[in-house]
C-alpha cells in the first residue's frame, strides 16, 4: 500500500482526487529558510510539511525551484532537470516528496514551457549559429529592411518583445524579460525535449504540473503585427497595454501540444494532474479550449479574482457562470491571491476590516465549484507588504516604479514566530524584508485562538472536505444583487445554501430558503437569514 493510501485509508481509493481539491501554493524563496542564507529552500519546506497537512489541503503547488540565474526568480529556467543550489539538491526534493506523500499530501510542480533562461544550453546552442542543430529551437527572425524588429509585439515586462543578437544577425522573441527567450514550441524536437523534462519529474514521483504561461507557447509564424487596443479608461503603464496580443500568444496549434502533455501524464496512471496558467486579455476562451474533453489539461487557473479591486456578487457571478456544469466545458480552478498578484485582503478591505474579510473570503473560496488554491499566508490573513524602493527585487516593479508596484509585496517571507528575529523565517538576512504588519499575524500567534484566521481557515477547509456537495456538486446562483450573494451547492441528496454579505450594513434575506436548514458554518455573526456586515453562512438542508 502506498504512503498516500496509508495516510487516508478511509478515502482510498478515490477517483479523481484532484476534482474539487484544495491546493496550497508555496513560493519557495519565501516559505522557510533552513540554512540561514536568507532564502527559503526545500529542506525548509520539508520541515513545515506537518503545518501544511494541518490545514487539511489535498496538495501543494511548488513554484519553480529549478536551476536558474534568477532574473525572474526561477521562471527563467537554465536546467529543467535539476534543483538550483540555493534551494538544495535533488535528494532534498526526493525527501520532501517522500515526507509529503507520507502525510497524504500530493506535490504539483511548475513547468515553464513557453521560454527558458538565456543561459540554458539549448539557447546557447541556438544563438551560436544559424546551422546549429538547435538553430530553430527558439523564435528567430530577420530585421525589417530598416533594421527594426520583425513585428510590433510588446513584452509583458515592458518594451519590444524582440531582442537583437549579433551572433546570428537576427532578433529573438521574448514575451517576458530579455533574458527569457521564447522557445519555438511549434518544433517537434522542442516538444519532445520538454516532454522528456516532464518525464524526469514524473519518474521521481511528482503528482502533477502547473504549466506556466502555456498560452505563450506558440506564436503566429507569419509575425503579423498586433492590432492597437483602444483606450478603455484604465491606466496604461506598459507598451503591451496599447495593443491586443493577437499574434504572439494563444496560437491554435497549442492544443496539439497540450494533448501530448496529457497523453504523457495519463501514461503514468489516472491520478496525475495538470493545471494550466492562462492569463491576460481573452484568457477565458483559451482556458476553455485547453481544458475541453478528456485529452487536454484537467483544469485551468482562473484570474478573475486575482487583480479585482473589489469583491462583489457581480464579480463572483461572472466568474462562476462562465464555467457551467455542461458537457464539453472544462473544470475551473480559483485563487484569490498568488505570487504575482497583490494579496486579496489589501485589495478588498480597509485595514480595520481585513481580519473579517480574510475569514469571509475563505468561506467563499471553500464554497466555490472547482479546485481552490490557497497562497502561503492567505490562511493567516496576511495583507500586502509595503516594500521600499531600495528593497525591491522585482524587475517589473523597479522599471515601472511607482505606477507598477510589482510582485514583491506578495512575496515577503512567511511569518512563523511573532517574537523571533525575522519572524522565524531565517537566522540570516531575508532576501526581502519582513513585513512588520505580519508579525502579530504569525503562525504561533494564531495557533492558540480558535477564532484566528488560521484556525477558521482550517475549519472551513475541513468543512469543504466533509461535504461532497461543496467539493464536486453543482452550483446555482439565486441572488447576486447589491452586496449580497446567494447560491446553492447540490450533489445527490445533499443540498447546501451559501449566503454572503460583502457590504458594510446588515442585510436580511427577503425570504429564506424553504424547508428546514442546519447552519454548518457561520462567519461574522451570520444567522438564519440575517447577515451582518461582511458575514456569511453555509446551511445544509435537512428536511
Amino acid at each position: 500500500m502506498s504512503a498516500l493510501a496509508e495516510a487516508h485509508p478511509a478515502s482510498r481509493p478515490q477517483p479523481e482526487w484532484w476534482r474539487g481539491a484544495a491546493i496550497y501554493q508555496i513560493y519557495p524563496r519565501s516559505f522557510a529558510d533552513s540554512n540561514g542564507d536568507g532564502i527559503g529552500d526545500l529542506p525548509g519546506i520539508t520541515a513545515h510539511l506537518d503545518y501544511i497537512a494541518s490545514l487539511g489541503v489535498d496538495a501543494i503547488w511548488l513554484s519553480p525551484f529549478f536551476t536558474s540565474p534568477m532574473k525572474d526568480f526561477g521562471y527563467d529556467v537554465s536546467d529543467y532537470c535539476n534543483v538550483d543550489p540555493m534551494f538544495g539538491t535533488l535528494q532534498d526534493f526526493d525527501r520532501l516528496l517522500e515526507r509529503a506523500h507520507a502525510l497524504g499530501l500530493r506535490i504539483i510542480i511548475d513547468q515553464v514551457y513557453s521560454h527558458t533562461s538565456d543561459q540554458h544550453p539549448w539557447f546557447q546552442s541556438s544563438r551560436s549559429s544559424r546551422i546549429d542543430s538547435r538553430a530553430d529551437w527558439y523564435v528567430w527572425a530577420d530585421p525589417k529592411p530598416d533594421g527594426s524588429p520583425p513585428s510590433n509585439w510588446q513584452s509583458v515586462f515592458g518594451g519590444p518583445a524582440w531582442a537583437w543578437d549579433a551572433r546570428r544577425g537576427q532578433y529573438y522573441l521574448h514575451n517576458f524579460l530579455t533574458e527569457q527567450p521564447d522557445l519555438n514550441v511549434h518544433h517537434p524536437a522542442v516538444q519532445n525535449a520538454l516532454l522528456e523534462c516532464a518525464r524526469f519529474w514524473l519518474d521521481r514521483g511528482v503528482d502533477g504540473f502547473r504549466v506556466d504561461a502555456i498560452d505563450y507557447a506558440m506564436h503566429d509564424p507569419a509575425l503579423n503585427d498586433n492590432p492597437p487596443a483602444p483606450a478603455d479608461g484604465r491606466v496604461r503603464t506598459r507598451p503591451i497595454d496599447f495593443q491586443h496580443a493577437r499574434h504572439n500568444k494563444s496560437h491554435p496549434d497549442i492544443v496539439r501540444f497540450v494533448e501530448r502533455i496529457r497523453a504523457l501524464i495519463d501514461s503514468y496512471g489516472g491520478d496525475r494532474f495538470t493545471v494550466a496558467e492562462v492569463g491576460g486579455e481573452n484568457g477565458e476562451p483559451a482556458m476553455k479550449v485547453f481544458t475541453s474533453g478528456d485529452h487536454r489539461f484537467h483544469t485551468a487557473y482562473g484570474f478573475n479574482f486575482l487583480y479585482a479591486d473589489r469583491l462583489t456578487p457581480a464579480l463572483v457571478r461572472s466568474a462562476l457562470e462562465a464555467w457551467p456544469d455542461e458537457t464539453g466545458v472544462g473544470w475551473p480552478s480559483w485563487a484569490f491571491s498568488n505570487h504575482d498578484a497583490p494579496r486579496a485582503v489589501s485589495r478588498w478591505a480597509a485595514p480595520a476590516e481585513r481580519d473579517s474579510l480574510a475569514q469571509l473570503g475563505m468561506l467563499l473560496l471553500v464554497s466555490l465549484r472547482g479546485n481552490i488554491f490557497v497562497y502561503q499566508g492567505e490562511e493567516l490573513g496576511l495583507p500586502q507588504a509595503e516594500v521600499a524602493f531600495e528593497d525591491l527585487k522585482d524587475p517589473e516593479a523597479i522599471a515601472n516604479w511607482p505606477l507598477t508596484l510589482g510582485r514583491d509585496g506578495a512575496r515577503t517571507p512567511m511569518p512563523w514566530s511573532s517574537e523571533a528575529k525575522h519572524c522565524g523565517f531565517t537566522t540570516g538576512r531575508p532576501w526581502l524584508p519582513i513585513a512588520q504588519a505580519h508579525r502579530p499575524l504569525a503562525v504561533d500567534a494564531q495557533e492558540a485562538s480558535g477564532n484566528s484566521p488560521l484556525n477558521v481557515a482550517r475549519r472551513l477547509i475541513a468543512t469543504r472536505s466533509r461535504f461532497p456537495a461543496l467539493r464536486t456538486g453543482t452550483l446555482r446562483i439565486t441572488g447576486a444583487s447589491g452586496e449580497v450573494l446567494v447560491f446553492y451547492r447540490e450533489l445527490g441528496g445533499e443540498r447546501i445554501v451559501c449566503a454572503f454579505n460583502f457590504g458594510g450594513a446588515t442585510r436580511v434575506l427577503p425570504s429564506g430558503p424553504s424547508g428546514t436548514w442546519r447552519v454548518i458554518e457561520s462567519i461574522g455573526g451570520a444567522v438564519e437569514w440575517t447577515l451582518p456586515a461582511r458575514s456569511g453562512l453555509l446551511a445544509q438542508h435537512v428536511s
Side-chain angles (χ1 to χ4, degrees):
M1 181 180 292
S2 71
L4 278 169
E6 291 171 356
H8 295 302
S11 62
R12 301 293 187 259
Q14 177 181 323
E16 296 189 326
W17 68 267
W18 55 269
R19 194 177 293 274
I23 301 170
Y24 188 81
Q25 183 197 353
I26 290 178
Y27 190 69
R29 291 181 72 92
S30 300
F31 194 66
D33 172 27
S34 69
N35 61 8
D37 67 356
I39 297 172
D41 48 41
L42 297 181
I45 296 170
T46 303
H48 290 84
L49 286 174
D50 288 279
Y51 166 79
I52 300 169
S54 78
L55 299 176
V57 298
D58 302 282
I60 296 169
W61 157 29
L62 293 178
S63 291
F65 52 84
F66 315 110
T67 308
S68 168
M70 298 294 162
K71 298 296 184 181
D72 192 25
F73 299 101
Y75 284 93
D76 51 321
V77 179
S78 58
D79 185 348
Y80 284 101
C81 299
N82 212 336
V83 174
D84 193 280
M86 72 171 57
F87 296 128
T89 65
L90 278 171
Q91 290 68 40
D92 289 327
F93 177 81
D94 292 340
R95 283 188 282 270
L96 186 161
L97 188 65
E98 181 180 16
R99 178 59 182 157
H101 283 174
L103 290 169
L105 295 167
R106 300 180 188 261
I107 296 294
I108 299 158
I109 66 173
D110 257 302
Q111 294 285 273
V112 187
Y113 293 155
S114 70
H115 54 268
T116 70
S117 164
D118 62 355
Q119 301 305 305
H120 197 293
W122 297 348
F123 186 70
Q124 295 294 309
S125 295
S126 187
R127 81 188 316 181
S128 68
S129 165
R130 297 194 191 193
I131 61 172
D132 186 86
S133 61
R134 295 193 180 103
D136 51 0
W137 278 37
Y138 291 79
V139 183
W140 295 95
D142 292 329
K144 290 181 178 179
D146 63 359
S148 60
S151 72
N152 71 346
W153 302 348
Q154 299 295 311
S155 74
V156 172
F157 290 148
W162 296 97
W164 176 254
D165 190 279
R167 297 165 185 80
R168 290 183 46 140
Q170 288 182 305
Y171 284 95
Y172 67 84
L173 178 66
H174 61 91
N175 278 302
F176 296 91
L177 294 175
T178 305
E179 296 88 353
Q180 293 171 294
D182 271 56
L183 284 160
N184 179 18
V185 185
H186 287 287
H187 198 308
V190 173
Q191 293 187 19
N192 292 341
L194 291 171
L195 292 174
E196 283 306 305
C197 295
R199 190 184 299 277
F200 173 87
W201 294 104
L202 291 167
D203 286 343
R204 294 194 97 82
V206 300
D207 300 289
F209 300 128
R210 180 259 192 191
V211 185
D212 181 73
I214 188 63
D215 50 332
Y216 280 100
M218 293 185 191
H219 64 292
D220 171 13
L223 307 183
N224 290 306
D225 280 351
N226 282 330
D232 59 4
R234 290 180 292 184
V235 176
R236 301 201 266 200
T237 61
R238 305 165 300 172
I240 197 173
D241 299 330
F242 290 83
Q243 63 179 227
H244 293 301
R246 296 281 189 266
H247 299 293
N248 57 325
K249 62 185 293 192
S250 298
H251 190 278
D253 289 348
I254 295 175
V255 295
R256 305 283 82 84
F257 180 47
V258 170
E259 289 168 353
R260 294 194 68 192
I261 298 171
R262 179 62 185 270
L264 174 63
I265 287 283
D266 288 349
S267 73
Y268 281 78
D271 62 346
R272 308 295 175 104
F273 168 67
T274 52
V275 53
E277 184 209 26
V278 182
E281 180 189 33
N282 292 322
E284 206 157 75
M287 291 164 65
K288 291 181 177 178
V289 169
F290 295 158
T291 59
S292 63
D294 296 326
H295 303 291
R296 298 178 184 175
F297 290 129
H298 295 85
T299 184
Y301 186 81
F303 277 67
N304 307 69
F305 300 102
L306 286 172
Y307 295 99
D309 58 4
R310 289 186 64 217
L311 178 61
T312 66
L315 172 66
V316 179
R317 179 195 282 275
S318 66
L320 298 181
E321 290 188 345
W323 291 87
D325 186 10
E326 297 175 359
T327 302
V329 177
W331 182 258
S333 287
W334 308 109
F336 293 170
S337 297
N338 72 7
H339 64 293
D340 284 334
R343 289 188 177 272
V345 295
S346 292
R347 286 183 279 117
W348 294 345
E353 301 164 352
R354 285 174 180 166
D355 270 5
S356 61
L357 190 283
Q359 298 184 27
L360 181 60
M362 189 63 69
L363 180 69
L364 173 63
L365 187 62
V366 303
S367 303
L368 299 180
R369 175 182 175 269
N371 297 332
I372 61 170
F373 285 79
V374 178
Y375 179 51
Q376 65 182 50
E378 189 172 1
E379 75 279 14
L380 304 176
L382 297 186
Q384 183 80 349
E386 295 184 8
V387 181
F389 178 79
E390 58 270 22
D391 292 322
L392 289 176
K393 301 295 190 296
D394 180 10
E396 181 184 11
I398 294 169
N400 296 305
W401 175 268
L403 288 179
T404 300
L405 299 182
R407 302 167 292 179
D408 290 334
R411 297 177 174 184
T412 55
M414 180 81 170
W416 294 101
S417 173
S418 59
E419 299 299 326
K421 186 178 182 180
H422 306 311
C423 285
F425 165 72
T426 182
T427 58
R429 180 181 179 182
W431 77 284
L432 279 174
I434 301 295
Q436 291 308 305
H438 292 179
R439 189 172 288 278
L441 299 172
V443 171
D444 69 340
Q446 295 199 35
E447 287 284 7
S449 171
N451 292 319
S452 67
L454 171 59
N455 283 315
V456 169
R458 285 173 170 148
R459 191 185 80 215
L460 296 178
I461 293 170
T463 297
R464 179 178 173 90
S465 297
R466 193 166 71 251
F467 291 92
L470 292 176
R471 190 171 174 115
T472 59
T474 61
L475 186 148
R476 178 173 57 92
I477 297 175
T478 60
S481 60
E483 301 291 347
V484 175
L485 171 70
V486 180
F487 58 80
Y488 289 82
R489 303 297 312 276
E490 296 184 49
L491 185 66
E494 188 172 85
R495 188 181 187 205
I496 296 174
V497 63
C498 310
F500 307 87
N501 176 12
F502 301 139
T506 296
R507 303 293 182 188
V508 179
L509 298 186
S511 59
S514 60
T516 302
W517 296 80
R518 176 177 66 93
V519 174
I520 56 177
E521 286 295 349
S522 175
I523 294 296
V527 295
E528 298 181 29
W529 302 99
T530 300
L531 304 175
R534 289 171 292 281
S535 71
L537 63 80
L538 309 183
Q540 181 186 22
H541 186 251
V542 293
S543 67

